[in-house]
Amino acid sequence: VQSLAAGAIPVPVVVYPPTISAQPVGTTLRIGESYTISVFASGQEPFTYQWKQDGVDIPGATDRQLQLVNVTEADSGFYSVVVTNPDGTVESEDARILVPADPEPNLAEGLVSYWPFDEAIDQDGVWMSPDLYSGNDMQLINMTDLNLVDSPNGKALSLDGEPQYAQRVGGFPISGNEIYSISFWVRADGIGQSDRRIFSEASGFSNTPLFNFGTTTNGDGGSLKVYIRNDDNTNPVNRVTTTPVLDNEWHHVVWVDEGGVVKMYVDGVLDATDFSYTHGLRTMEITSVGAIVRAAPSHWFIGEVDEVAVWNRRLSYTDVQEIKTAGLEPPPAPIPPSIPVQPVGGTVWEGIDVIMSAQAIGTNPISYQWSKDGAPIRVRRYRRSSSTRSHPLRAESTPWRPRTARGQPPVSPRSWSCGISRTSRPA
């Protein structure tokens, strides 16, 4: 009783050891990507953290989040974190990170066009620089072979601004594909060049659709700007690289677009800017270097551009490193045709015109023969043909059979079938 009166009952000490309220989550990454693993703990603060890979402490990994940057195969493993407070310790569940090896680089695979700008050919007063893969050569506008200057890769195209630019002859814009990649080298000073365009795809029939790499809008820095505008005038991308590109030094740039999930590499390193976007419709037919070409050219660029190449596939991190360090090689033989953009069928009202199209790549010249129900359709030997009736149609691309010193055999045609169904109009 006296003890109670003196208030001698000890106050119980409440202990709050840490608990994990949100476990770290693993994933599968491609080489070169980045990822952040995190954990949430509850209990008496303060907390300390120690991350582990495969049970071994990671030096310096003592925050709630663990950032894995530019991952390699060595980053694969099981990650966990030990959380400690004054009242105890708890370890999280394992989060598995898997980084599979990239396939062995095959840079010729899916390579649509390659303009090394090592050569300029005078064709009756029209200067052309060859596309070594598909023959969709670049016409040098207001330029000659004197615009080819020395570069680390041999020669490069030197542009002095208005009115000089290069324009693709034949083929089609690559950025209209769902999946594609673009690579080039550039050296220029972005300061003072307001909204100039290094690589551009556009339309001669409308000023609206655009796909561009260029200088910043105000010419106030060395970042590379990416600008994309759709047919409906929406502008899903208007962003600049975090890494300087236009600083009077040579830089290698690779853009990889996989259905709107984009990776931009500068000198082989993934840029920190997020360029991903939602694909929209862009109706374009022109590819140019050094300016935008629409009904009239504009936005002329001053600088040097080299080794421009486009693929109809995603380039891997390992591919990017191979291009940067070893470059591209000319094809050893004529390239058989393939059809990356297939014709699409559908159901239409009887009497309605149907326009079908296909895009083929390979060594030019490429001819087209459309078929219906397996029988060739006469006359219609263009990339776009129409049919006013139903039944399946098939587009076939047939390669030119070149005579070469090595006497290569003719290559086989590739084809794809699709269907058009006729529906009678209701009475």
Side-chain angles (χ1 to χ4, degrees):
V1 173
Q2 299 305 313
S3 179
L4 289 174
I9 298 178
V11 177
V13 177
V14 180
V15 178
Y16 294 104
T19 59
I20 304 294
S21 54
Q23 298 285 349
V25 177
T27 190
T28 298
L29 301 170
R30 291 171 175 156
I31 292 176
E33 292 184 333
S34 299
Y35 184 69
T36 299
I37 315 175
S38 61
V39 68
F40 287 92
S42 302
Q44 181 67 45
E45 295 184 353
F47 299 116
T48 62
Y49 303 87
Q50 177 59 62
W51 288 89
K52 298 181 178 184
Q53 180 186 9
D54 297 327
V56 179
D57 288 354
I58 303 172
T62 56
D63 295 324
R64 188 181 67 81
Q65 295 182 326
L66 175 65
Q67 291 187 323
L68 304 177
V69 180
N70 202 19
V71 298
T72 66
E73 293 176 70
D75 292 304
S76 291
F78 292 91
Y79 288 79
S80 62
V81 60
V82 175
V83 183
T84 303
N85 73 359
D87 299 325
T89 296
V90 65
E91 185 168 359
S92 72
E93 299 174 358
D94 285 337
R96 187 184 186 190
I97 301 296
L98 180 62
V99 187
D102 282 337
E104 191 70 22
N106 178 10
L107 299 180
E109 179 187 355
L111 182 51
V112 176
S113 290
Y114 169 39
W115 299 281
F117 292 122
D118 286 334
E119 183 180 13
I121 302 169
D122 185 355
Q123 299 180 357
D124 297 324
V126 177
W127 287 89
M128 308 292 292
S129 192
D131 166 13
L132 300 187
Y133 268 73
S134 296
N136 300 318
D137 300 344
M138 283 279 183
Q139 182 177 349
L140 306 183
I141 310 298
N142 300 306
M143 292 184 284
T144 68
D145 56 345
L146 297 178
N147 288 84
L148 300 185
V149 299
D150 291 338
S151 79
N153 299 301
K155 295 289 185 179
L157 182 65
S158 178
L159 299 130
D160 295 330
E162 185 176 0
Q164 295 183 345
Y165 63 94
Q167 181 174 341
R168 172 182 47 78
V169 177
F172 50 88
I174 196 66
S175 64
N177 288 10
E178 184 73 11
I179 301 174
Y180 64 97
S181 302
I182 301 171
S183 169
F184 60 92
W185 288 83
V186 62
R187 180 171 70 174
D189 187 355
I191 302 294
Q193 292 204 66
S194 300
D195 208 19
R196 309 296 179 89
R197 306 305 168 91
I198 300 167
F199 179 95
S200 175
E201 297 195 323
S203 171
F205 303 99
S206 169
N207 286 342
T208 304
L210 284 173
F211 176 92
N212 290 230
F213 300 121
T215 65
T216 61
T217 302
N218 299 318
D220 55 2
S223 294
L224 182 73
K225 186 178 82 168
V226 183
Y227 186 89
I228 299 176
R229 189 167 66 204
N230 298 326
D231 287 353
D232 62 4
N233 209 35
T234 56
N235 181 203
V237 178
N238 184 7
R239 303 166 207 162
V240 299
T241 58
T242 302
T243 308
V245 174
L246 306 175
D247 57 0
N248 265 329
E249 300 290 338
W250 278 108
H251 292 286
H252 182 229
V253 176
V254 177
W255 169 272
V256 181
D257 187 341
E258 192 172 13
V261 178
V262 174
K263 292 180 175 61
M264 171 74 91
Y265 296 91
V266 178
D267 297 328
V269 178
L270 187 65
D271 191 74
T273 301
D274 182 6
F275 287 97
S276 295
Y277 67 107
T278 300
H279 271 200
L281 180 63
R282 295 188 301 278
T283 307
M284 304 176 295
E285 71 283 343
I286 298 171
T287 301
S288 57
V289 172
I292 298 176
V293 181
R294 293 177 283 198
S298 62
H299 298 71
W300 291 274
F301 172 72
I302 300 173
E304 297 166 16
V305 183
D306 199 11
E307 297 285 306
V308 179
V310 297
W311 288 258
N312 64 2
R313 68 174 178 92
R314 177 189 71 86
L315 292 179
S316 69
Y317 174 85
T318 305
D319 289 332
V320 173
Q321 306 310 310
E322 182 77 5
I323 298 167
K324 178 179 178 294
T325 57
L328 297 168
E329 295 293 335
I335 300 169
S338 61
I339 306 177
V341 179
Q342 303 286 354
V344 178
T347 300
V348 299
W349 294 115
E350 187 174 20
I352 293 295
D353 288 346
V354 176
I355 297 176
M356 307 183 70
S357 65
Q359 291 179 351
I361 62 173
T363 302
N364 273 335
I366 295 174
S367 64
Y368 293 77
Q369 173 61 62
W370 289 85
S371 299
K372 172 190 169 188
D373 296 336
I377 301 174
R378 301 304 175 191
V379 180
R380 299 187 177 112
R381 297 184 62 85
Y382 308 100
R383 188 175 70 85
R384 291 185 176 272
S385 295
S386 64
S387 175
T388 59
R389 297 179 182 268
S390 59
H391 303 294
L393 295 175
R394 184 176 64 193
E396 297 181 345
S397 71
T398 305
W400 175 49
R401 301 185 178 190
R403 297 178 181 176
T404 65
R406 298 181 183 178
Q408 291 95 341
V411 289
S412 302
R414 309 289 177 88
S415 66
W416 184 264
S417 298
C418 63
I420 295 293
S421 299
R422 177 179 61 193
T423 300
S424 299
R425 292 183 181 274

